Amino acid sequence: MSEQFDFLVLGGGIAGLFFALEASKHGQVAVLTKRARVEGATRYAQGGIAAVQADDDSFDAHATDTMNAGVGLCRRKAVEVCVREGPERLRELLDCGVQFSRRADGALDLTREGGHTKRRVAHAADLTGGEIERALLAACDERQNITFFPDSTAVELITLEKVARASGSRANRCLGAYVLRPSGEIETFLSKVTVLATGGAGKVYLYTSNPDTATGDGVAMAYRAGARVANMEFYQFHPTCLFHPHAKSFLISESLRGEGGILRLVNGETFMERYHPMGALAPRDVVARAIDGELKRSGDDCVLLDMTHLPSDYLVGRFPNIYATCKSFGIDMTRAPIPVVPAAHYQCGGVDVDLHGQTSIPNLLAIGECACSGLHGANRLASNSLLEGVVFGHRAALRAASLLSTPLDTAAPSWDPGDAVPSDESVLVSHNWDEIRRLMWNYVGIVRTNKRLHRAHRRLDMLRSEIRDYYWRFNVTRDVIELRNIADVAMLIVDSALRRRESRGLHTTLDYPERDEAMCHDTIVTRGELERPV
Ligand code: SIN
């Protein structure tokens, strides 16, 4: 059975929905989400969306802050495009009905976050992503040209090369995807343009701020299809996630520090002034590394984020979600500091794209966290991710519209299950899943060494071959699809980290502690390279 659309979007977060809204003016759009359509990382974004608004701000200042955070690896054009087009896209979000927080005079309330020299982050209290997702879904529901397919997981991209009717990247193009549907059947979705908007891969690490959907599907599928993948060594750890045995890595937004929060050791001492002139509002890589170092030195389990000097009414009104969640764990942030630790948060690399989201495979676009547009370089500036989602979602829709004359390839074969049978040993899936997340946390975390990376490489090599074997022998399930993707993404991170023989931004290694300007270039990996020794 096959479904046919002009545009096939994998993922229903901010980038995918913003793309869908613009693309639906030009053709029929299918949006696939792995779980309920609202479920994904966008919904959990707290801080906000960065865009120049204030009179004392400028495009130059936003660009400079972005490039400073990115430590030499941001692509200037991508930064300029995002910074300059951001305010117009923000207006379009307002037109879609997003209710951002406002000041008493009616103007947008702008907050600050790490690495920003100005207040430029628009927010909806501390539930910005949830409010954006709500408004975009409502806007999509008003468009007849957009069809949602929830509980539908892409298994693999279909390319001309794969169906063996062309060879070489020039003749290659993406034809759509094979998709596991709620019935358990794998259906063929054919499209003129396929768009990866699958988000990040935080689930590759044991501790993450990301929801369960963040399994790196877009990057893994694109890599297997032969697309260029860039800068996967730069995985961002958010400095402050709630430390509590029963909290599943709940994020404590950087905007708490933007509004005056103070980081302290458990003995009450402040420490960030020793690490950076911007103190607790330094770029994220600096703060996460500082906390990691202090915890290793002291042996403490966490540091503290102190808000108790700010008025209670203000805290409850400005951070209702964080206040209520902390309270549910017995922490009253108006009276006691919040225990926090760093956790995996954001994938700064991804499928390599141009300024319109075009990957190295024709008719395959990638946007949002799964793409490497060059905006983030070696470390993303806070609240630039929602911005990237709307700017590149819009630009990719314009590119997609220009590809409408591509014929649908209705001769693409259906999914071939081969000799697969129902699995008799699901324990392999849960065991390997745990092992990957733990080894990534222990060996490929905030501070790395060659020895640990090589150890991770060897383990992953073995695990990937076990998972491949299981994948071909048994019926495909969502758990197996996600495990296979997480294993491939883990290997992409390790392989890229081994290639970068310097410390820069989010990649810190004790073997090469200094920055090396000879290495100031993207790390590019393409199909087959993971199987070669680094
Ligand atoms: C936060 O609220 O701290 C997260 C915002 C972001 O990741 O940009």
Side-chain angles (χ1 to χ4, degrees):
M1 175 163 172
S2 96
E3 300 274 358
Q4 300 181 8
F5 286 89
D6 296 311
F7 310 117
L8 171 63
V9 185
L10 306 180
I14 187 169
L17 296 183
F18 211 78
F19 172 93
L21 282 172
E22 181 62 33
S24 67
K25 297 176 189 161
H26 307 277
Q28 295 287 336
V29 188
V31 179
L32 271 59
T33 61
K34 290 199 293 183
R35 290 165 174 77
R37 60 183 198 156
V38 71
E39 188 55 27
T42 294
R43 176 187 179 186
Y44 298 96
Q46 295 179 357
I49 176 164
V52 172
Q53 299 288 308
D55 291 343
D56 69 343
D57 199 0
S58 67
F59 292 145
D60 276 353
H62 189 182
T64 302
D65 290 348
T66 301
M67 312 254 295
N68 283 345
V71 206
L73 277 190
C74 296
R75 295 179 202 156
R76 179 173 283 279
K77 276 267 176 228
V79 175
E80 277 171 8
V81 154
C82 272
V83 161
R84 286 178 182 279
E85 296 177 10
E88 200 178 331
R89 301 289 88 81
L90 185 66
R91 268 192 296 283
E92 287 165 6
L93 284 176
L94 288 163
D95 292 344
C96 276
V98 178
Q99 302 288 318
F100 287 110
S101 298
R102 292 188 179 268
R103 299 190 316 226
D105 65 0
L108 288 178
D109 182 47
L110 302 174
T111 191
R112 248 185 97 184
E113 292 187 38
H116 289 276
T117 51
K118 298 286 176 194
R119 285 187 171 262
R120 63 169 74 97
V121 179
H123 64 98
D126 58 354
L127 287 160
T128 311
E131 170 56 13
I132 291 176
E133 185 77 13
R134 178 202 65 73
L136 291 180
L137 282 172
C140 286
D141 284 340
E142 285 172 14
R143 299 284 171 87
Q144 296 208 325
N145 273 359
I146 303 178
T147 311
F148 283 90
F149 293 85
D151 294 309
S152 298
T153 306
V155 183
E156 210 63 292
L157 296 170
I158 309 171
T159 57
L160 258 188
E161 190 182 72
K162 185 176 221 125
V163 299
R165 277 183 285 120
S167 59
S169 60
R170 292 188 65 194
N172 199 13
R173 98 178 132 87
C174 188
L175 309 177
Y178 294 117
V179 177
L180 178 66
R181 300 278 288 124
S183 61
E185 296 299 308
I186 294 181
E187 291 176 19
T188 308
F189 276 67
L190 297 175
S191 56
K192 296 176 179 174
V193 180
T194 302
V195 184
L196 301 172
T198 52
K203 295 298 282 188
V204 81
Y205 285 102
L206 191 57
Y207 301 110
T208 174
S209 62
N210 293 181
D212 290 346
T213 49
T215 53
D217 309 321
V219 171
M221 284 189 291
Y223 168 76
R224 292 194 296 264
R228 282 158 56 100
V229 173
N231 292 351
M232 288 297 286
E233 67 273 37
F234 298 117
Y235 217 98
Q236 184 172 72
F237 287 72
H238 195 290
T240 58
C241 285
L242 180 60
F243 176 74
H244 187 279
H246 301 132
K248 207 178 157 197
S249 292
F250 177 72
L251 187 70
I252 304 293
S253 174
E254 205 156 289
S255 48
L256 272 75
R257 278 175 281 135
E259 299 300 345
I262 301 169
L263 279 173
R264 299 184 188 280
L265 302 175
V266 286
N267 66 11
E269 271 172 35
T270 59
F271 58 96
M272 274 312 302
E273 63 281 2
R274 287 192 268 115
Y275 289 89
H276 196 278
M278 291 176 88
L281 273 182
R284 244 173 229 179
D285 58 331
V286 178
V287 185
R289 238 182 345 263
I291 295 176
D292 187 63
E294 291 293 334
L295 293 182
K296 287 204 168 96
R297 191 186 54 75
S298 66
D300 292 335
D301 288 331
C302 61
V303 295
L304 303 173
L305 180 55
D306 190 358
M307 306 295 289
T308 55
H309 53 293
L310 296 170
S312 311
D313 289 357
Y314 165 73
L315 290 177
V316 176
R318 173 65 182 85
F319 302 108
N321 174 43
I322 294 172
Y323 173 76
T325 306
C326 287
K327 201 75 200 287
S328 74
F329 289 109
I331 302 156
D332 180 348
M333 68 188 259
T334 65
R335 299 157 71 98
I338 308 169
V340 291
V341 283
H345 182 60
Y346 194 89
Q347 174 188 290
C348 291
V351 186
D352 192 31
V353 294
D354 70 7
L355 292 177
H356 286 87
Q358 176 65 59
T359 71
S360 57
I361 298 180
N363 300 70
L364 178 67
L365 309 183
I367 49 179
E369 189 173 350
C370 73
C372 180
S373 68
L375 173 65
H376 309 310
N379 175 41
R380 174 177 67 93
L381 184 67
S383 287
N384 265 357
S385 48
L386 295 176
L387 172 71
E388 184 190 38
V390 288
V391 168
F392 279 88
H394 178 86
R395 293 183 138 252
L398 302 183
R399 167 64 56 87
S402 76
L403 296 170
L404 259 181
S405 58
T406 312
L408 277 176
D409 193 310
T410 50
S414 306
W415 175 258
D416 177 6
D419 299 326
V421 295
S423 163
D424 58 351
E425 275 225 322
S426 313
V427 66
L428 176 135
V429 178
S430 52
H431 175 89
N432 286 357
W433 183 270
D434 287 347
E435 185 168 350
I436 291 171
R437 297 185 68 200
R438 201 168 286 281
L439 81 83
M440 288 298 287
W441 185 259
N442 288 332
Y443 299 155
V444 199
I446 296 174
V447 178
R448 301 161 177 178
T449 66
N450 274 344
K451 198 162 142 192
R452 290 183 210 150
L453 290 175
H454 279 295
R455 205 178 286 149
H457 196 278
R458 281 195 299 276
R459 289 296 306 146
L460 283 170
D461 217 24
M462 221 167 75
L463 288 165
R464 284 176 75 231
S465 101
E466 242 174 66
I467 293 165
R468 248 193 319 268
D469 179 61
Y470 185 93
Y471 173 82
W472 289 114
R473 283 201 304 139
F474 299 109
N475 288 348
V476 171
T477 62
R478 189 178 68 194
D479 285 350
V480 174
I481 296 168
E482 291 184 340
L483 173 66
R484 180 173 175 240
N485 290 341
I486 234 28
D488 285 350
V489 169
M491 193 58 142
L492 281 163
I493 295 172
V494 172
D495 184 274
S496 305
L498 278 165
R499 287 163 193 246
R500 186 162 291 283
R501 298 191 175 93
E502 63 161 351
S503 289
R504 180 184 297 271
L506 298 160
H507 175 70
T508 300
T509 161
L510 299 181
D511 292 294
Y512 310 100
E514 303 301 328
R515 207 179 302 161
D516 175 358
E517 288 319 306
M519 295 233 60
C520 190
H521 53 72
D522 292 334
T523 308
I524 303 288
V525 181
T526 49
R527 190 173 51 202
E529 293 187 45
L530 294 187
E531 280 66 40
R532 292 188 204 125
V534 188

